[in-house]
Amino acid sequence: MSTERFSVLPTTQATAAPIRDDILRNPGFGRYFTDHMAHVRWTLEAGWHGHEVRPYGPLTLDPAAAVLHYGQEIFEGVKAYRHADGSVWTFRPEKNAERFRRSARRLALPELSDEDFIDSLRALLAQDHAWVPTPASEADESSLYLRPFMIASETFLGVRPAHEVDYYVIASPAAAYFKGGVKPVSIWLSSHYKRAAPGGTGFAKCGGNYAASLAAQKEAETHGCSQVAFLDAAENKWIEELGGMNLFFVFRDGRIVTPRLTDTILEGVTRDSVLTLAQDEGLTPEERPISIDEWREGAASGEIIEVFACGTAAVITPVGELVTEEGSIRLAAEGDNEVAKRLRTRLLDLQYGRSEDTRGWLTRLV
Ligand SMILES: *Cc1c(COP(=O)(O)O)cnc(C)c1O
């Protein structure tokens, strides 16, 4: 650990413990933030420097800051989990660090080292560990959601990669993402809007991808759906993913299929973990293209027995139905989403330290 590189300016206005405890009892998602934030600055001349943890608060940005105009921005999503002995851990952060560098390269931002990435989480948690909720039971999925992000902060309206960049980590206590736990969600199939195209930014975790998905999200809501599934831009045929989660299909014969990674699919850490844990469950993982026709026909014939979405925020969420312009696709063999539930339990047991971490997936933060 070398978090000493981060200087600490403690807040003089820390949230009072009773107020914090009140928030932690019912944090929702993304509504409350902790007392501090981590920060590292980058300039073309000096590289990365000025590692610090300072009081959480508004940023001062010039109205001409490049990020406000051209969206040169990337982010990550990581959770910190409190274990029964009070220690605080995070899950495969080296995967997020690596993906953050990949996103940075695509958005022409400077790469932050994996060491700086992981140490920034540790340095923030050293100050704000009291904000990590203590789960009341195994059904309590509360955690501290960590949001690292990088922005082009240079004051300049010309179009070129910024010469001044800032990296921050903020933290927000979080309850389960979807209320009602593993209740199946309805998903809208976007037939008009596309999330990503070959050669574009689909594989990068950048704000622009999310901005581009919001019109489809609005469409979904008018059809009574909470999420959007996107098809590929080239053929309008292949399943890619949701706006912020990867998709899995469970077949009756024990195969579990997820779309093969291309530059139009975000490589989820949860996706990768599910592919591994599925083998422990005796399933046969397959990464290959899967078409909307295969979904429709497999659902009708009973060949596909479950569909679920996965990501750090919502863990694993069963998909109950896919609503399309041509009507709704439901599973003929609709069951109780047993596979999704089993994988979900495996993942959560690991993350909360209730099962042995045989793969070295956990990193201690506090
Ligand atoms: C973050 C994200 C995911 C899920 O990734 P995890 O690492 O599992 O949290 C999936 N799709 C998109 C578009 C994302 O931005």
Side-chain angles (χ1 to χ4, degrees):
M1 296 191 203
S2 49
T3 55
E4 307 84 49
R5 278 179 298 124
F6 284 78
S7 66
V8 179
L9 177 65
T11 181
T12 54
Q13 296 173 306
T15 310
I19 295 175
R20 185 185 62 224
D21 291 344
D22 238 24
I23 292 171
L24 293 186
R25 267 189 287 278
N26 184 20
F29 188 90
R31 288 193 287 137
Y32 302 100
F33 297 90
T34 65
D35 292 319
H36 296 88
M37 57 190 185
H39 172 227
V40 189
R41 179 155 177 80
W42 180 90
T43 60
L44 193 58
E45 304 76 49
W48 289 108
H49 61 279
H51 302 59
E52 61 172 353
V53 173
R54 66 179 206 220
Y56 182 91
L59 307 179
T60 303
L61 276 183
D62 193 282
V67 64
L68 300 177
H69 303 272
Y70 310 124
Q72 198 189 2
E73 184 267 358
I74 57 171
F75 67 95
E76 270 300 328
V78 187
K79 278 176 171 174
Y81 309 90
R82 191 179 295 283
H83 288 190
D85 65 358
S87 58
V88 175
W89 301 73
T90 189
F91 187 70
R92 308 185 77 186
E94 61 286 344
K95 298 280 287 178
N96 297 90
E98 182 198 337
R99 185 170 69 193
F100 199 53
R101 285 191 284 104
R102 231 182 298 138
S103 299
R105 285 197 295 274
R106 181 63 185 84
L107 275 288
L109 282 161
E111 288 181 48
L112 185 76
S113 72
D114 295 6
E115 193 189 10
D116 271 349
F117 183 91
I118 294 172
D119 284 347
S120 68
L121 308 182
R122 244 188 214 120
L124 178 57
L125 265 290
Q127 300 308 309
D128 286 348
H129 53 83
W131 285 90
V132 183
T134 301
S137 69
E138 290 194 9
D140 180 347
E141 290 170 22
S142 52
S143 62
L144 186 66
Y145 185 79
L146 306 173
R147 168 52 60 84
F149 64 101
M150 193 191 294
I151 58 171
S153 47
E154 184 183 0
T155 302
F156 179 57
L157 286 186
V159 180
R160 60 148 169 74
H163 294 170
E164 292 170 33
V165 167
D166 287 281
Y167 165 76
Y168 298 91
V169 189
I170 56 174
S172 175
Y177 192 80
F178 291 117
K179 287 200 198 78
V182 291
K183 215 171 85 230
V185 294
S186 294
I187 289 188
W188 168 248
L189 180 71
S190 176
S191 49
H192 177 64
Y193 298 114
K194 297 289 174 258
R195 195 192 80 88
T201 58
F203 68 92
K205 214 168 173 72
C206 63
N209 289 342
Y210 279 73
S213 75
L214 294 177
Q217 178 74 26
K218 269 172 74 176
E219 216 178 60
E221 277 156 26
T222 66
H223 289 87
C225 298
S226 59
Q227 300 281 316
V228 186
F230 291 96
L231 295 177
D232 76 294
E235 295 180 68
N236 199 36
K237 173 176 175 187
W238 305 103
I239 312 288
E240 296 208 310
E241 58 170 318
L242 306 188
M245 283 189 274
N246 297 112
L247 277 171
F248 277 87
F249 300 83
V250 183
F251 285 70
R252 200 169 44 193
D253 62 5
R255 285 173 299 141
I256 178 165
V257 179
T258 192
R260 193 186 56 207
L261 293 175
T262 63
D263 66 355
T264 57
I265 291 179
L266 196 292
E267 184 176 349
V269 178
T270 319
R271 174 190 180 280
D272 187 76
S273 307
V274 165
L275 282 169
T276 301
L277 295 176
Q279 283 171 295
D280 298 354
E281 282 287 332
L283 300 162
T284 309
E286 276 182 15
E287 297 178 74
R288 62 164 172 84
I290 177 161
S291 69
I292 185 63
D293 294 333
E294 185 175 358
W295 186 343
R296 188 181 292 108
E297 286 155 22
S301 70
E303 197 66 24
I304 296 176
I305 55 170
E306 289 182 38
V307 182
F308 65 82
C310 70
T312 298
V315 196
I316 287 176
T317 303
V319 174
E321 74 175 325
L322 181 73
V323 181
T324 78
E325 301 274 11
E326 288 93 41
S328 172
I329 300 177
R330 283 183 159 278
L331 299 174
E334 198 171 356
D336 59 358
N337 293 295
E338 200 222 328
V339 173
K341 284 181 190 163
R342 273 181 4 229
L343 288 166
R344 194 171 207 284
T345 300
R346 264 191 196 267
L347 197 54
L348 290 170
D349 281 351
L350 259 174
Q351 291 169 334
Y352 285 93
R354 296 188 292 254
S355 65
E356 202 196 335
D357 174 27
T358 55
R359 295 182 173 96
W361 279 356
L362 295 182
T363 293
R364 185 163 182 179
L365 293 178
V366 181

